[in-house]
Amino acid sequence: MKFIHLSDLHLGKRVNEFSMIEDQAYILKKILGIIRDEEPDGVLIAGDIYDKSIPSVEAVGLFDDFLKCLAGQKVPVFIISGNHDSPERLAFGAELIKLSGIHIAPAYSGKVEPISLKDNYGAVHIYMLPFIKPVHVRNVFPEEPVESYTDAVRAAISHMDIQESERNILVTHQFVTGAQRSDSEDICVGGADNVDVSVFDGFDYVALGHIHGPQSVGRESARYCGTPLKYSFSEANHHKSVTILELEEKGNLVIRAVELSPLRDMRELKGTYEELTNRKNYEGTKVDDYLHITLTDEEDIVDAMGKLRVVYPNLMKLDYDNQRTRENRELTGGETEESRTPLELIMDFYEKQNNQPMNEKQRALVSELMEKVWEEAL
C-alpha cells in the first residue's frame, strides 16, 4: 500500500513581509502532479496546514482548491492540525467532508479511532493524533501522570486500541528529540516540547509534522517530510520533497522522496556591491529568486536595498560582513538576542542581577512556569 506524506504547508505565510501565496499555489500544483503520477492509496498531511490559527481568505481558498482536486482524483486524505492551526476551525464540517474521502482529525478529546484500508496483505490502520500538549491530555485523563510532552503522547497512544500484529500508521505533529530544527519553526521554552521516539514503537510508520527539514529521527520509519517550500534562509540548502512510503507485508517498508522545484528559490549571496550588480557573477541565480545578500564593502552603500532591488526584485534581507561588523560581533560575543531561547535570556538576566547563576532547582521552576504560560497563551 502506497502513501504520500506531506506536512507544514503553512498556507498564507509571509516571509520577511513577502507573501508566499503564489509560490504555495505553484507548489501545490506540483504536488498534485506527483500524486497523479504515483497513484497512492492515501495522502497523509501531518499538520500546520495554515500559518495562523485564523487563516487568510486566500489561504483557505487555496487549501479548498487543493482538497477538491484530491477528492476529484478519489484519493483518501488524512489530515491533522498542527501547532499553528486551530483544530476546531480546521475540522469544521469534517463529518460531511469525509463523504468525499477527506478525513480531518477533530480537536483532541482522548478518543482516536483508526481508519482502516485493506490490500492483499490485510489491513492498514491509520491513527490521526493532532498536536497535543500536556495540558490537553491532563484535561481528558486527570488520573494519568502527565508532566512532559513525552508523557502526554505516551498517554494518548496508550488509550488507542492498537493491534500490533497488523500494520499501523500514526500521523502526528510533535518535536521528536534529536530532530534538526530550522529558524522558521516555533521553539518551545528550554526544549520542553521534546518527545522521545520510543513512544511510537507500536507503529510501522510515523508521519511526522512540525520540523521543516526532511529527516528521519531515531529510526528510519519515524519521519518528517519537511515543508514543501523554504520558509527561512536557514533552509537555503534544503532539498524540499514529498515523502513516499510503500508498505507490503508487516515489517517490509520502503521510503523514498520525490524532490520539489519551487517557483522561486531562496538563496544567499555574498560579495561587494559592484560584484553583486554584475549579474554575470551570479548566473545560477534567477532574477526573481528570494535573496539574502551580504555586502562585504567596508563603507555602507547609500540606499543599498533599493538599488539592489532594481537588479534583484525579491531581495528579502540585506546585511554587511566587514571589519566594522566583525568587531561588533566580537564585542557582543558573537551571539544575538534573537538566537537565544527565552530561558537563556532569563538566566542571563538573573545572573547579572544577583552576581551568581541560577541553580538547578531555580532553573527547573522557571522552566515549568514559562511552560505553563506558553500553554495558556496557546
Side-chain angles (χ1 to χ4, degrees), residues 132-150:
I132 56 171
K133 296 183 286 187
V135 65
H136 298 147
V137 181
R138 285 196 295 265
N139 288 341
V140 178
F141 302 113
E143 72 284 358
E144 293 278 4
V146 175
E147 299 297 331
S148 67
Y149 275 71
T150 294

Side-chain angles (χ1 to χ4, degrees), residues 147-199:
E147 299 297 331
S148 67
Y149 275 71
T150 294
D151 293 339
V153 176
R154 180 181 288 115
I157 290 173
S158 73
H159 288 272
M160 300 178 190
D161 184 19
I162 302 171
Q163 300 178 49
E164 295 196 12
S165 62
E166 298 185 329
R167 295 168 295 170
N168 299 290
I169 292 175
L170 178 67
V171 187
T172 193
H173 190 97
Q174 301 289 160
F175 173 59
V176 178
T177 306
Q180 299 299 308
R181 293 188 184 268
S182 303
D183 290 347
S184 56
E185 299 149 6
D186 288 343
I187 298 177
C188 185
V189 176
D193 55 347
N194 286 12
V195 174
D196 192 273
V197 72
S198 63
V199 302

Side-chain angles (χ1 to χ4, degrees), residues 257-296:
V258 176
E259 193 164 337
L260 292 168
S261 297
L263 178 63
R264 305 174 184 89
D265 205 349
M266 189 171 281
R267 301 178 185 273
E268 294 184 296
L269 303 181
K270 186 174 183 178
T272 65
Y273 176 78
E274 184 177 351
E275 290 169 341
L276 285 155
T277 51
N278 184 351
R279 283 194 43 80
K280 291 181 181 179
N281 296 322
Y282 301 92
E283 291 181 352
T285 301
K286 292 192 298 184
V287 68
D288 59 347
D289 281 345
Y290 295 119
L291 298 179
H292 167 204
I293 286 179
T294 300
L295 290 174
T296 57

